[in-house]
Amino acid sequence: MTRTVPGRTGHVVVVGAGLAGLSAALHLLGTGRRVTVVERDPLPGGRAGRRELGGYHLDTGPTVLTMPHLADEAFAAVGERLRDHVDLLPLHPAYRACFADGTALDVHTDAAAMEAEVERFAGPREAAGYRRLRTWLQRLYAVQMRRFIDANFDSPLGLLTPDLARLAALGGFGRLDARIGRFLTDERLKRVFSFQALYAGVAPARALAAYAVIAYMDTVAGVYFPRGGMHALPRAMAAAATAAGADLLLGRDVTSLERSGSRVTAVVTAHERIPCDAVVLTPDLPVVHRLLGRRPRRPLRLRHAPSAVVLHAGTTRTWPHLAHHTLSFGAAWRRTFDELTRTGALMTDPSLLITRPTAGDPALAPAGRHLHYVLAPCPNTDIGPGAEAWSDLAPRYRDRLLATLERRGLTGIAAAVEAECLVTPADWTAQGHAAGTPFSVAHTFAQTGPFRPRNLVRGTDNAVLAGCGTTPGVGVPTVLISGKLAAARITGTAPGGGRR
């Protein structure tokens, strides 16, 4: 049995109405708890927020949605269905990968379509390798999801299950790039199945092969787009929680937690004091530690993932070679990861994610206009330029980004921009994200699974954590799971249903 919150848990206050907090709220409501959700922003969503800019509707956080069944689980907890609240569009292709040599590959989640595309792109031998890789990814996912992702850990001993041996037999504890290299020899293809290591904050040469499970989510399970933008998902989750009886308090910044002994007894904002039996804390870890009045002791300092510069550009035109999601790879690869995770330099030959949400929903921009989201990974403020440096650096970096896009086929983009918003590590810092990164704590081996900051708080009996800083980690699917795991710590139900 895993540990659960002792004592009364009838009324739970969830701090933060992001995806983790809303997932926790729905799962708690499904077990009959009274739930109050407190959010500092005027809208739900947290990192998956919304900004209006001259008729353009910007998603301020993630743009890639995979594993929507995890959101459906949260809706199902209160007797609802995701499809009744959100119109999900499957993306074909899931991505378009464009390489420095001028070649391009459409990444399909359908096995036959992807095999044919790989054969067109790199020949029959690589297509056969892709088939073997896909089978391996499916087996890897099946082992990891059951025991290592959708699971609460009380100690590293929780890893000692038959699935640990299965994961080892699959090569999960080797290196990601070497394992992918057993199936594919084309360097361009290898990038398509290993760039996801960036989400984990580790270079493919150093990342565990187990992190290929993220490639499974992207390239096998499918990529989707909610009509209305990514913010449509938290907006619908908040509406479902409210309909199920939750009190949703927006525009309320939590200033402190009241305690009696080892229990939190109330959550305090500038507007009110909210008594509670338990609390779920979803802000970034530094904010959580401030509220709790303590920072956990760890033998090693937490390492944070790289950050990102994001350019939201409303334009008068678009470019035909762009898919909904386009990966624009530079010629550099190992050097890029070295810059992002070791030297702290801005990418000299950047690899970029370009998302065109108006491809799926033209209503996100004024009539005849287009919205482009350009994500450029960059070092976090621990190893790269500090937050204060970005005030001078930002306009120059914006110009560099546009010049790079121009060279890569987005001819005339600078002249086409009529509305824009540039987000840098200084902005992430201002939002309370440690090391100026929205991607939180990196997934090194020492910060993964039971070694990641746990969702139970030592010294506080009735506080549980959720969000990307705790288990299981960074990304929309894992953050949704973190909310479910937090709820399970309070209700005593296993994440998959039933009691522990």
Side-chain angles (χ1 to χ4, degrees), residues 182-195:
R182 292 193 176 198
F183 303 100
L184 302 170
T185 59
D186 188 290
E187 290 298 324
R188 299 164 301 174
L189 286 175
K190 287 163 70 174
R191 292 186 187 188
V192 168
F193 292 94
S194 62
F195 82 90

Side-chain angles (χ1 to χ4, degrees), residues 428-444:
W428 304 124
T429 299
Q431 292 176 32
H433 300 318
T437 174
F439 304 117
S440 192
V441 177
H443 281 265
T444 60

Side-chain angles (χ1 to χ4, degrees), residues 339-340 342-346 378-390:
E339 289 166 340
L340 293 173
R342 291 193 174 186
T343 68
L346 298 177
C378 71
N380 64 46
T381 57
D382 280 347
I383 67 167
E388 67 287 344
W390 278 98

Side-chain angles (χ1 to χ4, degrees), residues 150-364:
D150 194 4
N152 276 316
F153 290 98
D154 289 334
S155 82
L157 295 177
L159 288 171
L160 301 179
T161 71
D163 280 324
L164 183 68
R166 295 186 185 101
L167 183 58
L170 286 168
F173 297 107
R175 295 302 174 193
L176 176 62
D177 62 348
R179 178 57 56 169
I180 298 296
R182 292 193 176 198
F183 303 100
L184 302 170
T185 59
D186 188 290
E187 290 298 324
R188 299 164 301 174
L189 286 175
K190 287 163 70 174
R191 292 186 187 188
V192 168
F193 292 94
S194 62
F195 82 90
Q196 297 88 352
L198 184 61
Y199 302 155
V202 186
R206 303 200 311 275
L208 292 178
Y211 295 144
V213 72
I214 312 175
Y216 167 89
M217 297 176 184
D218 278 356
T219 66
V220 177
V223 177
Y224 298 81
F225 177 70
R227 196 181 301 278
M230 285 289 289
H231 183 65
L233 176 58
R235 191 167 63 241
M237 293 175 73
T242 302
D247 291 322
L248 183 60
L249 305 179
L250 300 174
R252 309 288 219 281
D253 198 4
V254 173
T255 56
S256 64
L257 304 176
E258 288 186 9
R259 301 174 65 105
S260 176
S262 61
R263 294 184 74 87
V264 175
T265 56
V267 173
V268 180
T269 77
H271 299 81
E272 63 263 293
R273 175 185 179 275
I274 309 165
C276 63
D277 298 315
V279 62
V280 176
L281 302 171
T282 72
D284 214 13
L285 291 177
V287 177
V288 168
H289 296 156
R290 176 178 59 77
L291 290 173
L292 291 170
R294 63 185 298 273
R295 180 183 296 273
R297 292 190 302 273
R298 289 180 64 91
L300 297 173
R301 182 184 177 192
L302 288 173
R303 281 184 52 194
H304 289 86
S307 184
V309 173
V310 177
L311 174 64
H312 300 273
T315 60
T316 56
R317 57 166 295 193
T318 190
W319 292 264
H321 73 278
L322 294 179
H324 188 110
H325 297 296
T326 301
L327 297 164
S328 175
F329 289 107
W333 188 239
R334 289 182 182 273
R335 186 179 80 222
T336 291
F337 281 96
D338 198 51
E339 289 166 340
L340 293 173
T341 64
R342 291 193 174 186
T343 68
L346 298 177
M347 289 185 293
T348 50
D349 185 16
S351 290
L352 308 170
L353 170 63
I354 307 165
T355 295
R356 187 164 60 102
T358 41
D361 188 353
L364 294 171

Side-chain angles (χ1 to χ4, degrees), residues 105 111 114-120 122-138 178-186 189-190 193 219-220:
L105 171 83
M114 187 60 182
E115 185 176 9
E117 176 70 352
V118 172
E119 183 166 353
R120 176 200 68 79
R125 180 177 175 179
E126 294 297 282
Y130 160 73
R131 271 289 192 182
R132 295 195 306 274
L133 172 60
R134 185 183 178 95
T135 299
W136 178 73
L137 290 172
Q138 290 170 319
R179 178 57 56 169
I180 298 296
R182 292 193 176 198
F183 303 100
L184 302 170
T185 59
D186 188 290
L189 286 175
K190 287 163 70 174
F193 292 94
T219 66
V220 177

